[in-house]
Amino acid sequence: MHFGQKLDDTLLSSRLTMWDIKTVEKLMLHISPIDQYPPAATALAVLLVTLSTAFWLWPREDEGAVPYTAPGSNLIQCYCPANGKLLGVVNPASPAAIDRSIAKAQEAQVEWAKTSFAQRRRVLQTLLRYILDNQSSISTAACLDSGKTRIDSSFGEILVTVEKLKWTILHGEKALRSERRPTNLLMCYKVNEVRWEPLGVVAACVSWNYPFHNFMGPVISSIFAGNGIVIKGSENTAWSSTYFTSIVRSALQACGHSPALVQSIICWPSVAPHLTSHPGISHITFIGSKSVAHAVAASAAKSLTPVCVELGGKDAAIILDDVPDIEKVASILLRGVFQSAGQNCIGIERIVACQGIYQQLTTILEPRVKALRLGSTLDEDGDNVDVGAMISNNNFDRLEALIADATRKGARCLVGGKRYIHPRYPQGHYFEPTLLVDVTPDMAISQEETFAPICVVMKARGVDNAIQISNSTNYGLGASVFGRSRRDLGKVVQASKSGMVSVNDFAVYYAVQLPFGGVKGSGKSPLVYPALTASS
């Protein structure tokens, strides 16, 4: 069966998820056959990663949620958000440790910059083979550290990372090849050429919601371009960073290159400016909130380091009256809203439905949202879990206040609406899958990013009003539109003030390596301004 056909069949399901982890693993092996990428080097080095990390792939039996720091200690204590059990401790980096990491990466990058594209592909092929062979262990680590479900980990961590590796292996050299540019009459005897050269050592400050993919994405692009990289992960998912770092460094070592090229640090927020203002860093990628982005940009300005920021979103999915199959669309919407418990930067935060289809859509959504099951996917009955835990409960008061404010102003909460004390995991961080309808643009929940399993449904009078509602926030990351009329679909795409638009689908631009970025409060890059992209 073709992968796209299988995916469509899944989206038609009345439940959020229907695949077990083995099915997804087999599909990824089908779309990325290992025999296309013969062993690039001895498997011993990458095999040792599995052997050396197997002992910590399951949480300890300590009861209760653990604070970040132990009393009298600077150590970061890591726990599983799904059940509150202790995973381990991580020693945060000091300014001196950051200096050493950058110096090591700089030394390794001098030789790495001299490598050919064939040598760099060899490293990525080794990395790809290891991920495909060990996707279950990688998925387990991501689930334990973030609280997400296996299916969310398989799609949001493994599949997208594999696709990024495949794209870079197949097309990376072409993207970085020197380019001829046209000349003019005055310089008709000259040849003009643009060359893409390594920057040196770059940094990436990445968020916790996709601990494996957000870690691997900058690494793949940076090292293929000839750079060294220092990755700063979130304290919220510090535990798994050690494992993920060892995977990349083992692949480098197995291919005869210095593993020091890739450095990983975890530090407290008070220490992070030492990294972002460091003169040894040539470029910074930041994934996170707008408030922190301001601090990162101000810090980077001290050394005039360029910064690319990818911030939050309030993505809208516009449903036109002529949508051909509302049952199928409802399933896609469920995936877009509740994937990773709503903790997805390009997740659907608002459903804007035209008035002719509004009531039918809400009628379909209500029983489906009610049927979603909360829990830990790593248990024996993990296949009976649809929505996992949130990273922490720090946001629960705000979420409940936003829902209460909306209902006071006329919205109706049909499902959920509050935090959930799981009977088996009372120390876990769960929020009920929520369906909030009749939401209007004057309500705070329609303007603020929730980053939570909350399905907000808004009614539009027509296409123009739907566009107006969609563009009414300070965000502009992604968007979706569903309908039949090419004229109306094109109108929405053209008028959408967002970095990316999917047509009759959700976030598919991410799966095919199209330009990724936002406008307005969702982030900008001084190097490449994100282009509007559409997929159908």
Side-chain angles (χ1 to χ4, degrees):
M1 177 179 291
H2 188 270
F3 176 71
Q5 179 186 347
K6 184 66 176 179
L7 182 59
D8 287 342
D9 292 344
T10 299
L11 294 174
L12 283 168
S13 168
S14 62
R15 282 210 172 274
L16 177 64
T17 60
M18 65 176 283
W19 290 354
D20 57 52
I21 186 67
K22 294 299 182 185
T23 304
V24 177
E25 290 174 353
K26 289 175 181 177
L27 273 171
M28 279 186 283
L29 288 173
H30 174 68
I31 61 174
S32 303
I34 291 177
D35 56 11
Q36 287 186 8
Y37 305 99
T42 174
L44 178 60
V46 287
L47 178 61
L48 287 176
V49 176
T50 303
L51 298 177
S52 63
T53 54
F55 73 93
W56 54 261
L57 280 180
W58 295 101
R60 302 175 188 173
E61 292 303 319
D62 305 68
E63 291 297 330
V66 184
Y68 279 139
T69 54
S73 169
N74 191 42
L75 296 175
I76 300 172
Q77 291 201 8
C78 310
Y79 64 93
C80 177
N83 56 25
K85 293 182 179 181
L86 182 67
L87 296 172
V89 295
V90 171
N91 189 26
S94 64
I98 292 174
D99 290 340
R100 290 192 296 270
S101 293
I102 294 173
K104 290 177 182 177
Q106 286 176 325
E107 183 179 0
Q109 192 271 336
V110 171
E111 293 302 316
W112 178 253
K114 301 173 184 176
T115 57
S116 65
F117 285 120
Q119 289 174 301
R120 298 173 195 175
R121 270 195 299 271
R122 189 169 178 243
V123 173
L124 296 192
Q125 288 166 346
T126 303
L127 188 56
L128 175 60
R129 185 180 182 89
Y130 179 84
I131 293 172
L132 289 172
D133 287 347
N134 297 275
Q135 56 189 280
S136 182
S137 295
I138 295 169
S139 176
T140 297
C143 289
L144 283 169
D145 218 5
S146 66
K148 64 181 58 180
T149 65
R150 282 280 196 182
I151 194 74
D152 285 338
S153 177
S154 294
F155 278 123
E157 306 279 10
I158 307 297
L159 179 61
V160 289
T161 301
V162 165
E163 286 302 312
K164 186 175 183 69
L165 278 165
K166 285 182 59 185
W167 188 94
T168 308
I169 290 168
L170 295 173
H171 308 293
E173 181 177 355
K174 181 180 178 181
L176 295 174
R177 192 176 296 156
S178 297
E179 301 175 9
R180 290 289 182 93
R181 295 293 174 87
T183 188
N184 55 26
L185 181 61
L186 183 64
M187 291 290 156
C188 61
Y189 59 94
K190 296 289 187 181
V191 173
N192 304 323
E193 186 176 81
V194 175
R195 294 188 179 185
W196 305 99
E197 297 180 347
L199 294 172
V201 174
V202 300
C205 304
V206 298
S207 58
W208 46 261
N209 54 332
Y210 290 96
F212 181 65
H213 177 64
N214 284 350
F215 179 94
M216 293 299 302
V219 169
I220 294 167
S221 298
S222 298
I223 66 174
F224 192 79
N227 299 308
I229 185 168
V230 179
I231 295 275
K232 181 206 165 297
S234 168
E235 315 90 81
N236 288 305
T237 50
W239 176 75
S240 58
S241 294
T242 303
Y243 178 32
F244 302 153
T245 304
S246 68
I247 294 173
V248 180
R249 300 183 77 175
S250 294
L252 283 163
Q253 194 167 19
C255 295
H257 305 288
S258 172
L261 186 70
V262 175
Q263 298 288 321
S264 174
I265 63 168
I266 301 291
C267 66
W268 292 111
S270 59
V271 178
H274 189 77
L275 172 67
T276 52
S277 64
H278 202 289
I281 297 298
S282 302
H283 181 272
I284 297 172
T285 296
F286 173 79
I287 305 173
S289 67
K290 186 176 180 180
S291 59
V292 179
H294 281 294
V296 170
S299 176
K302 296 176 183 178
S303 53
L304 297 179
T305 304
V307 181
C308 175
V309 296
E310 190 267 281
L311 310 179
K314 194 67 182 174
D315 291 15
I318 295 177
I319 316 300
L320 304 180
D321 283 334
D322 63 349
V323 63
D325 190 342
I326 191 62
E327 292 278 350
K328 177 180 178 179
V329 169
S331 294
I332 298 175
L333 296 175
L334 283 175
R335 165 58 58 187
V337 172
F338 294 105
Q339 178 175 312
S340 292
Q343 300 166 121
N344 183 7
C345 59
I346 51 173
I348 296 174
E349 289 255 343
R350 296 171 297 155
I351 298 173
V352 182
C354 291
Q355 56 188 359
I357 199 69
Y358 181 86
Q359 187 57 51
Q360 185 182 358
L361 177 61
T362 56
T363 300
I364 293 170
L365 289 175
E366 184 175 1
R368 296 193 186 187
V369 177
K370 282 181 179 178
L372 296 178
R373 301 158 296 183
L374 285 165
S376 173
T377 192
L378 295 170
D379 285 344
E380 292 180 0
D381 60 348
D383 290 341
N384 296 318
V385 172
D386 300 306
V387 181
M390 297 187 69
I391 195 68
S392 79
N393 57 7
N394 293 340
N395 206 27
F396 286 1
D397 287 343
R398 184 181 75 91
L399 295 176
E400 291 174 345
L402 286 172
I403 294 169
D405 171 73
T407 55
R408 282 194 301 269
K409 294 178 178 177
R412 293 180 295 136
C413 186
L414 302 183
V415 183
K418 61 184 184 300
R419 69 194 73 194
Y420 178 71
I421 307 301
H422 199 288
R424 293 184 62 183
Y425 315 111
Q427 302 298 333
H429 305 316
Y430 295 95
F431 198 89
E432 293 178 342
T434 298
L435 177 61
L436 191 67
V437 303
D438 298 345
V439 175
T440 55
D442 62 311
M443 300 174 185
I445 200 166
S446 73
Q447 301 296 315
E448 297 182 21
E449 183 180 34
T450 59
F451 225 55
I454 300 175
C455 183
V456 170
V457 187
M458 309 173 72
K459 183 188 293 185
R461 296 185 300 274
V463 178
D464 290 336
N465 185 227
I467 294 170
Q468 182 182 18
I469 293 172
S470 176
N471 291 337
S472 66
T473 75
N474 291 324
Y475 296 99
L477 190 55
S480 303
V481 57
F482 297 83
R484 187 190 300 272
S485 166
R486 287 186 174 271
R487 181 179 64 84
D488 288 340
L489 291 171
K491 184 177 184 179
V492 172
V493 171
Q494 185 66 32
S496 179
K497 289 183 169 56
S498 60
M500 305 161 289
V501 182
S502 288
V503 177
N504 286 325
D505 214 326
F506 156 67
V508 288
Y509 40 75
Y510 201 74
V512 292
Q513 307 304 314
L514 286 174
F516 186 89
V519 297
K520 299 193 289 185
S522 290
K524 297 176 176 66
S525 167
L527 299 179
V528 181
Y529 196 82
L532 184 69
T533 57
S535 303
S536 59

